[in-house]
Amino acid sequence: MHPILLSLVTYLPLGGVLAIMLTRGTTEAVETSARWVALWTSAIVFVLSLVMWAQFDPTHAGVQFEQRASWASAFGVSYHAGVDGISLMFVLLSTFLTPLAIIGGWKLVNTRVRDYMVAMLLLETTLIGLFSALDLVLFYVFYEATLLPGSLMIGVWGGPKRVWASLQFFLFTFGGSLFMLVALLVMWNVAGTTDIPTLQHTTFSHSMQGWLLAGFILAFGVKLPLFPLHAWLPDAYTEAPTPASVMLSGVLSKAGAYGLLRFGVLMFPDAARVFAPYVLTLGVVAVIYAAIIALAQTDMKRVIAYSSFSHMGVIAIGLFTLTPEGIDGAIFQMLSHGIVIAALFFCVSAVSWRAETREISAFAGVAHKMPVLATLTMLFVMANIGLPGTGAFVGELLVMVGAIHVSFWLAFLGGSSMILGAVYMLVLYRRVMFGQAAGGMVALLRDLTGPELAVLVPLAVVTLWMGIHPGTFLRVFNPTVTSLVQPAPVVASDSVAPVVRTAAG
């Protein structure tokens, strides 16, 4: 188990960026080489992350592949990185989706290709750095750095309203991050260090815990997003080019949930119990509200965007049940959702790129012309609903097990995501795939190409793998969760008692 492996996984994409920037030749030659360098770099990074997974010892709940270097040691700040069972899974999610997003954008992105590939590799480095950071300043630097490639990919390569979408995404996330910066400075002022393992064992007063957690909830609630901090999401996901939508919804939104878990639930458990009824209520509202809005959409991509928002509500519920089962379920749901939502965006792209429209009303009978796409899309639609045998079912089941410890009504309303999801996803699938084959452009559609299958088949395999053999993933992060979480009852406040009532009460 060599610590340098984590450095290679984190910073090798920067080597790919350098190679792309040094490429010279005709525009066509530079674009071709940029695509191949980005693909090979991300593929090598993925293989190295698999080596990390193989060498990881799941019986050891602590940090592994740890690295520490002096940075601003006089101020208690150091370069400290490493992974435990939770962060390793998110590193793997990042390295798995990046090469797929690069292949997915092979033909979709045909302007400023070199800059686009540079942005994609930069985003990969910042995401892996974020998930492996063990110093709060280092985490903050990587968290903010994800904004640059993320907002550029929306603003430069997005749809007609891309500039507005990019601006919203940047301002919302950057505004939220200021609360994290203030919380970081307060913690540093008290503890004299920003080392995360040290801060976890530092005692903060109850009132300070409350204010710090409020800051982190605002910071990460924007990225998750929590209701009502979601205004940036529909435009950002819809206007972004499909590979960028995949990275934003598949990995970047998970950075918000990861931060909420790492710096909220695990670092301030006492304050989390006070805030839990409110966050659980917001999670339930997000599940139901987003599902209803999704049903009213006429644009396929917006349906998927609101679907993502609805499922992030389930994740928020899992995290703030404050039970090992709920948190295990939330982490599993994050991983499963990252895979499924990426696949759904790719499926929508496969149709809309050929037809040059995303309007649901323009389609009918696509399954007659694209049977392979119809089959794969059905799998991902069922996975999004939470059908047994897919990863989403395991995640939602564990979240409901955690929720039932808190309240029957919480489990019932949170579990409604399965019912409501079935409504809007099956309505979308029936309208687009079935019915009498529409004339015009639908008659000209051709089924999936090799590169498209190279993207969707691995996603399908992982979705089924997570549903059929969830233990492969659970055994990696469950020991870490169990060691960090001490289950305790959630005390419901009177204002939210109808939704969240303790099992005892």
Side-chain angles (χ1 to χ4, degrees), residues 156-185:
V156 177
W157 294 277
K161 294 192 288 185
R162 60 185 181 273
V163 176
W164 170 238
S166 175
L167 192 64
Q168 267 191 310
F169 170 70
F170 188 92
L171 291 177
F172 263 84
T173 312
F174 191 70
S177 302
L178 292 177
F179 292 99
M180 176 171 36
L181 182 60
V182 171
L184 184 160
L185 291 171

Side-chain angles (χ1 to χ4, degrees), residues 276-278 280-281 284 406-407 409-410 490-493 496-502:
Y278 305 100
L280 291 172
T281 304
V284 168
V406 178
S407 156
W409 286 107
L410 176 67
V490 176
V491 181
S493 71
V496 290
V499 175
V500 183
R501 191 178 300 278
T502 58

Side-chain angles (χ1 to χ4, degrees), residues 94-338:
S94 307
T95 60
F96 176 60
L97 287 182
T98 304
L100 298 183
I102 289 168
I103 298 169
W106 206 267
K107 288 185 178 177
L108 292 174
V109 177
N110 43 33
T111 57
R112 301 184 67 171
V113 174
R114 182 171 74 169
D115 298 341
Y116 173 82
M117 293 302 168
V118 164
M120 189 63 83
L121 290 176
L122 283 174
L123 184 60
E124 182 176 29
T125 279
T126 54
L127 286 168
I128 297 168
L130 178 158
F131 290 127
S132 59
L134 289 175
D135 185 279
L136 203 45
V137 170
L138 186 65
F139 178 88
Y140 181 80
V141 168
F142 278 123
Y143 187 83
E144 291 294 88
T146 59
L147 271 179
L148 296 173
S151 54
L152 281 174
M153 282 198 284
I154 301 169
V156 177
W157 294 277
K161 294 192 288 185
R162 60 185 181 273
V163 176
W164 170 238
S166 175
L167 192 64
Q168 267 191 310
F169 170 70
F170 188 92
L171 291 177
F172 263 84
T173 312
F174 191 70
S177 302
L178 292 177
F179 292 99
M180 176 171 36
L181 182 60
V182 171
L184 184 160
L185 291 171
V186 170
M187 290 167 76
W188 173 78
N189 193 42
V190 171
T193 181
T194 54
D195 189 60
I196 292 168
T198 307
L199 289 172
Q200 279 184 321
H201 296 102
T202 303
T203 305
F204 297 95
S205 68
H206 282 289
S207 61
M208 185 176 284
Q209 277 197 40
W211 285 110
L212 290 172
L213 182 58
F216 282 123
I217 287 175
L218 284 169
F220 298 122
V222 171
K223 196 81 119 188
L224 191 66
L226 267 178
F227 180 89
L229 304 172
H230 66 281
W232 62 271
L233 179 141
D235 286 338
Y237 284 11
T238 306
E239 296 302 317
T242 297
S245 299
V246 164
M247 295 304 288
L248 288 174
S249 61
V251 193
L252 208 51
S253 66
K254 308 306 175 287
Y258 173 81
L260 209 52
L261 170 63
R262 186 70 80 192
F263 306 111
V265 174
L266 299 181
M267 198 172 276
F268 307 117
D270 295 336
R273 287 181 198 114
V274 176
F275 278 83
Y278 305 100
V279 179
L280 291 172
T281 304
L282 292 176
V284 168
V285 170
V287 166
I288 297 169
Y289 164 82
I292 293 169
I293 301 292
L295 192 57
Q297 299 306 306
T298 57
D299 180 318
M300 289 189 288
K301 211 171 177 186
R302 284 185 90 84
V303 175
I304 308 303
Y306 278 107
S307 162
S308 177
F309 176 32
S310 181
H311 282 84
M312 295 312 283
V314 175
I315 289 164
I317 291 169
L319 292 178
F320 275 83
T321 59
L322 307 180
T323 61
E325 298 90 351
I327 292 172
D328 270 345
I331 296 168
F332 202 92
Q333 179 72 351
M334 285 186 234
L335 299 171
S336 165
H337 176 264

